[in-house]
Amino acid sequence: MSEGESCRIEAARPAIAGHDIGERFARLLAAKDFDGVVSLLTGDVEFRALTPRRAWAADGPPAVLEILGTWFGELDRIISLDKLERDAFADRERVGYRLTVENREGSFQLEQQAYLATDGERITWLRVLCSGYRPLTRAVRADAD
């Protein structure tokens, strides 16, 4: 590449069936559309997750919904989906997303990485790793504006 040329790197597009399901999951979660999230899950979905203080496990949509409601409660307002990345490898899809959240305790950002498998239509296997709610400082908020 010569001087002055720019390099554009695009996210790899998954080559597996159902490759957009991870992105749909992240967007529905950011909208707190839990019914929409549940519609993406098979009846026997296997869910495991790690947050800074706990390991989570659920089998089936009702149990997954209960966990998501714990993470993003009624008083947690998701302000924005700040970043969304997706990729795939072998038989798995990966979606990473960053959210800005406000609640009575302040403003926060969090990131999650989700790995999933599908039957082509819905999620059959889901693993999520969460950064936890990280406080936004004034400097970080100013950079976002």
Side-chain angles (χ1 to χ4, degrees):
M1 191 176 337
S2 64
E3 188 175 324
E5 272 187 78
S6 64
C7 178
R8 182 175 169 178
I9 300 173
E10 294 184 14
R13 292 291 179 184
I16 56 176
H19 67 269
D20 64 335
I21 293 176
E23 180 174 343
R24 288 174 31 216
F25 170 82
R27 291 187 184 283
L28 289 165
L29 186 63
K32 287 181 74 171
D33 181 350
F34 297 134
D35 290 336
V37 169
V38 166
S39 75
L40 295 179
L41 308 175
T42 60
D44 60 349
V45 65
E46 180 185 305
F47 176 87
R48 304 293 181 266
L50 287 175
T51 57
R53 294 186 183 102
R54 185 170 171 188
W56 304 79
D59 294 311
V64 174
L65 183 61
E66 184 177 333
I67 291 171
L68 297 178
T70 301
W71 291 354
F72 304 105
E74 287 182 30
L75 300 178
D76 294 313
R77 198 171 122 225
I78 299 176
I79 303 301
S80 59
L81 173 61
D82 302 317
K83 187 173 186 176
L84 178 65
E85 303 171 327
R86 67 180 201 169
D87 199 0
F89 63 98
D91 61 344
R92 299 287 188 243
E93 182 179 350
R94 180 193 64 82
V95 63
Y97 43 94
R98 181 180 303 151
L99 305 172
T100 297
V101 179
E102 288 182 352
N103 60 32
R104 285 187 271 172
E105 297 176 29
S107 296
F108 303 88
Q109 277 192 323
L110 67 98
E111 283 192 359
Q112 293 186 337
Q113 296 293 318
Y115 296 89
L116 57 112
T118 74
D119 63 6
E121 303 276 328
R122 296 185 298 159
I123 298 169
T124 59
W125 182 94
L126 180 60
R127 301 296 186 267
V128 177
L129 177 64
C130 182
S131 67
Y133 280 46
R134 308 307 312 150
L136 279 175
T137 64
R138 289 182 195 187
V140 172
R141 281 192 291 252
D143 287 344
D145 295 336

